[in-house]
Amino acid sequence: IAASKAVFCVKPLGIDVDESRDLTRRMEESGLPQAVNFVFGSARGGEALRQALRAGDLGQVSGIDIRLHFAKWPRGWQEAATWLAQRQQGGFVREVFSHFYYLAERLFGPGELVSGSLGYPAAPDDAAETQALALFDFDGVPATFAGSVGGRGPDLIEFTVWGEKRSYRLSDWYRLEVSDGEAWRSITPEVEDPRLDTYMLQLDQLAALLDGKAHSLPGFRDALSVQERIEELLGGG
């Protein structure tokens, strides 16, 4: 900011919520281009779900379910990032759930934490959470979140929006499915590598931001809203 450069920041904005609030204020006062790395600012599945909601395809929405399970945390490819296993900065709530909380706010507006509870392993005493259970409200739309770590089996990542006409489910980050009461049917956009495609779309949006054009990337204020609710759930907000 001091160098008058555009800023593309990872989430969360900081370790301390008050510092993140101050950073957001300084970023906004600068007037510089800004964006934060939430994958659902550009992922095709998230955008398709947003368009379906805007078109009234789901009808009245009755709720959202977010389900996360990891056989091991941190995941194997994250083991070098030892802080992810620690309570102060790590945990799957900050690292993974935050992306889906952002998506819920993008789709339905600001959320509020209604209730929540966490479980931790007996040792070490600074270990990150292994269970999380919470209820949120997004402008009248209830959302349940359940997450856990441990046990043999595949990881589970699901974000489901239940509607009176039909429901939509995002699974494994990028696979979009729909149901009108029957079995889930895949409507995932046809791309060779959904993960790479999402990152390339994110870079396209970043280029649009830097060119002063319309873009879909979240800003610091969006990221701060996510961090405030995440830290409230974790007891540090």
Side-chain angles (χ1 to χ4, degrees):
I1 295 173
S4 298
K5 300 292 187 180
V7 179
F8 182 47
C9 188
V10 297
K11 55 79 187 167
L13 298 177
I15 300 170
D16 180 89
V17 175
D18 287 336
E19 288 182 352
S20 295
R21 289 170 181 148
D22 181 63
L23 177 61
T24 299
R25 176 188 59 79
R26 290 191 288 122
M27 187 77 251
E28 292 177 342
E29 288 176 352
S30 75
L32 294 166
Q34 53 164 296
V36 179
N37 176 29
F38 283 108
V39 296
F40 292 112
S42 54
R44 294 183 192 274
E47 178 60 20
L49 176 53
R50 190 176 75 90
Q51 293 295 339
L53 283 164
R54 293 183 65 180
D57 189 48
L58 288 78
Q60 183 69 32
V61 173
S62 60
I64 306 165
D65 283 336
I66 303 170
R67 299 288 180 266
L68 302 176
H69 177 78
F70 303 99
K72 182 180 181 181
W73 186 268
R75 292 160 288 183
W77 54 273
Q78 296 173 312
E79 287 181 345
T82 55
W83 54 270
L84 282 173
Q86 299 170 3
R87 195 172 307 184
Q88 183 183 12
Q89 301 181 44
F92 66 86
V93 172
R94 289 190 184 99
E95 182 71 10
V96 180
F97 173 64
S98 58
H99 285 282
F100 293 95
Y101 185 90
Y102 163 73
L103 178 60
E105 287 210 327
R106 186 174 186 224
L107 296 175
F108 297 103
E112 295 181 359
L113 176 63
V114 178
S115 61
S117 62
L118 300 167
Y120 296 92
D125 58 10
D126 65 343
E129 72 280 351
T130 51
Q131 283 83 35
L133 187 65
L135 175 63
F136 295 89
D137 182 274
F138 294 91
D139 195 23
V141 177
T144 60
F145 163 51
S148 58
V149 174
R152 297 184 64 84
D155 290 350
L156 174 68
I157 298 176
E158 290 183 349
F159 178 96
T160 306
V161 181
W162 300 100
E164 63 175 345
K165 295 180 180 178
R166 54 184 56 87
S167 301
Y168 283 77
R169 180 172 70 180
L170 274 167
S171 58
D172 297 330
W173 294 94
Y174 308 111
R175 187 169 70 242
L176 184 62
E177 300 169 302
V178 64
S179 171
D180 56 5
E182 304 299 326
W184 293 103
R185 174 171 52 88
S186 177
I187 54 171
T188 304
E190 293 294 332
V191 294
E192 183 175 348
D193 185 338
R195 186 170 180 264
L196 178 61
D197 176 67
T198 297
Y199 292 141
M200 295 304 293
L201 287 171
Q202 190 177 58
L203 291 175
D204 289 342
Q205 294 299 316
L206 185 60
L209 167 67
L210 295 175
D211 289 340
K213 300 176 182 178
H215 66 91
S216 62
L217 298 178
F220 277 48
R221 182 65 55 179
D222 302 304
L224 177 62
S225 179
V226 175
Q227 185 181 0
E228 287 176 334
R229 296 291 76 75
I230 293 292
E231 294 304 321
E232 184 181 5
L233 172 59
L234 292 173

